[in-house]
Amino acid sequence: MPTASTPTHCPYCALQCGMALSPLPAGGVEVVERPDFPVNRGALCGKGRTAPAVLSSGVRLTTPLVRSGGSLVPAGWEEALDRIAGEFARVRAAHGADALGVFGGGGLTNEKAYALGKFARVVLGTSQIDYNGRFCMSSAAAAGIKAFGLDRGLPFPMADIPRTGCVILVGSNPAETMPPALRFFDELRENGGTLIVVDPRRTRTAEHADLHLAPRPGTDLALALGLLHLIVAEGRVDEEYVRERTTGWEDARAAAMAHWPEYVERITGVSVPQLRQAVRLFCEPGAAMVLTARGPEQQSKGTDTVGAWINLCLATGRAGRPFSGYGCLTGQGNGQGGREHGQKADQLPGYRKLDDPAARRHVAGVWGVDPDSLPGPGRSAYELLDALGSDVRSLLLMGSNPVVSAPRAAHVEKRIRSLDFLAVCDVVLSETAALADVVLPVTQWAEETGTTTSLEGRVLLRRRALTAPDGVRSDLEVLHGLAARLGVEKGFPTNPEEVFEELRRASAGGIADYSGISYRRLAEGAGEGVFWPCPADPADPEATEATSELTEPVDGGAGRRERGTPRLFLDRFATEDGRARFVPVSHRPAAEEPDEDYPVLLTTGRVVAQYQSGAQTRRVDELNAAAPGPFVELHPRLAARLGAAEGDALAVVSRRGRAVAPARITPGIRPDTVFMPFHWPGEGRANSLTNPALDPTSRMPEFKVCAVRVEKAAGTD
């Protein structure tokens, strides 16, 4: 074990907060603050502070498990890998390569996401690969590509937020999902700026806002269109900007003008005076931003909804100007990098499209294979899960727990149980791993080196701080061992830096160009990372002062140029003509609206002490004490109609399932809406209820709105 503190980054959300790990005399490590890292400046939430608790051998897996006689029993690594390779070879021979599936995760490092995508396409020859990041920010990605030609969560650093004049924060609750980020919004207000929060609940974040808009779930699209209507009607359009830097305005304008304020008020429940106040606060400063998160994105019209908010930025001249623009607050730790390098169904490394012949030639050349041997695009995440046990007979799963996290979770669990064979690589025995035929114990963040890409597009180096327990291997070692057993002896190194060097070559010339980034460069500059795109300088392959047509330097307050490309679009957008695209959109209902049988709306989300499916955080005593289990949040008026008191067991029922949890009564939620966090399995599993209706572009399921009925659970007085 190292004797000095090791600078690294938190394993949880996309802030990727800087921290250091210091060895303890009795073994293990403790978290030490790193005030020098600009994103969190030393601050950490409870999840970050307690992250080493999951490193304990009493919590995590330390030996492979194989199913024998209906139970998982310990096994050796060679036996476990042989069994996986043998089953995959058998299924491929009997049913073809596309009968093999691969499901990845937004928490995998860039190296592991890259290697997993390569493994699926080169070793297995399957098109059936996707990852759980499809459930997180794919609608924002699709809308960003349509409008700007490029998707990077934030096209500017978080440090720009306090320097703008107004932020509209749509469907995001950073006070609970990424607490260290809240200081940027508080500093915005301290500097004289304003914060508008759009959320059907009065969250902890909304408590910090100057204006809280509480629309009916599923109506964010109408809200954005109503605001754009008022911007046009009040003469607040930046006509010169629209003329010089955009295309498609007339069609987008016509669509918005069909959404007059009173009509939008009826749809959303947001009053006309509030709409007018929001327009005034957003348009009066010289700079402003719109930031979205899962609220507007996890809808069957999520791409159009985000597009409407982007149109708002474009019409007012906010995108591609200093301290202004549209951004997405990416959720998972490597949700950004995870969607850039090949584990998505339609992508190759560098954010290249799998159906682009030039992209196939480039990547195939790096991989040393025939471009024609690469399979085409496969199924999106939910569609892949829905096909398990029928078209897809065997599955390799890394870094995900869909039994808890997928929509219509009971159905997904049934599909997983129907597989011929399931292999899971995980740190703990998650609810999904417990169903597997083989479970492989793999290293955690502190036990391996690798890169992640934060919500800012900042590529960061996580460093190994301690040695993994005996019996644990890295995901890269797993892929290396399986590839060799399946006949591919070379091309899957176990050294993460060697994998990253290949990733650099594969990404070169792509949208997400990492070719100018290296481990050495990432370790320099106080470990602040490098923003992509960062193409290599022909004179210096490791140069990070990359120039880009999409950006120009902006003083970030430190009097120096930041490394890579911290700010996009200041000169031109990433489209062929350099102009941003308005996309005309119109409001439409959610896929499932309330009716007589299911009269209430359900929305879901997170709480501060738990993370995603809870597979790791539910194993930390301190976090469980703060958030011990699920609950149903409802308004006092709805509680009165049900005759429910605080803590009563409530059953929430949708067309897909039933969940039971204690009542939490608060006036901070709409009377027509209930909220459940989605971190828990069992009878309180919120995703037993959610609707898998998919956005036609992003293939994002509609987690954030479905019709339910609420009733007191049997046995409740």
Side-chain angles (χ1 to χ4, degrees), residues 617-708:
T617 53
R618 285 187 276 109
R619 288 168 166 81
V620 179
D621 291 342
E622 180 180 330
L623 301 180
N624 281 332
F631 57 87
V632 181
E633 184 178 284
L634 71 164
H635 191 274
R637 295 212 307 258
L638 178 56
R641 290 204 303 271
L642 297 171
E646 182 79 12
D648 281 354
L650 295 181
V652 183
V653 184
S654 77
R655 290 177 174 85
R656 289 154 297 279
R658 182 176 187 267
V660 178
R664 183 174 293 183
I665 302 171
T666 171
I669 190 170
R670 291 175 56 96
D672 59 2
T673 301
V674 295
F675 166 84
M676 291 189 71
F678 56 72
H679 308 291
W680 287 273
E683 70 171 5
R685 181 172 60 184
N687 278 317
S688 295
L689 309 168
T690 48
N691 191 351
L694 301 181
D695 179 287
T697 302
S698 68
R699 315 309 288 171
M700 165 75 85
E702 191 155 62
F703 286 98
K704 280 296 183 275
V705 52
C706 70
V708 298

Side-chain angles (χ1 to χ4, degrees), residues 451-473:
T451 63
T452 62
T453 306
S454 76
L455 78 171
E456 304 170 295
R458 188 194 297 258
V459 184
L460 300 162
L461 183 63
R462 282 189 194 163
R463 299 168 175 86
R464 185 173 70 86
L466 73 168
T467 302
D470 291 340
V472 175
R473 297 185 184 181

Side-chain angles (χ1 to χ4, degrees), residues 9 13-18 34-43 154 157-159 178-184 187 454-456 458 460 527-528 531 562:
H9 296 272
C13 83
L15 282 182
Q16 288 297 279
C17 291
R34 278 181 58 193
D36 59 316
F37 188 65
V39 175
N40 62 309
R41 305 177 221 162
L154 294 181
M158 293 286 289
M178 46 181 64
L182 191 63
R183 70 169 59 188
F184 292 105
E187 289 172 7
S454 76
L455 78 171
E456 304 170 295
R458 188 194 297 258
L460 300 162
E528 291 187 11
F531 294 83
E562 296 185 68

Side-chain angles (χ1 to χ4, degrees), residues 168-170 196 198 211 213 219-237 249 256-257 259-261 264-265 268 270-283 290 308-309 311-313 315-316:
I168 301 179
L169 189 60
V170 189
I196 301 170
V198 179
L211 176 63
L213 306 180
T219 64
D220 310 85
L221 175 52
L223 177 63
L225 288 163
L227 296 177
L228 184 52
H229 177 111
L230 285 171
I231 285 168
V232 175
E234 295 178 5
R236 297 181 183 271
V237 175
W249 166 235
M257 296 314 288
H259 298 75
W260 60 94
V264 169
E265 181 182 71
T268 65
V270 178
S271 70
V272 172
Q274 284 187 309
L275 296 174
R276 294 189 184 278
Q277 183 184 6
V279 166
R280 178 180 59 79
L281 293 175
F282 183 69
C283 291
V290 172
W309 289 103
N311 287 349
L312 200 72
C313 292
T316 53

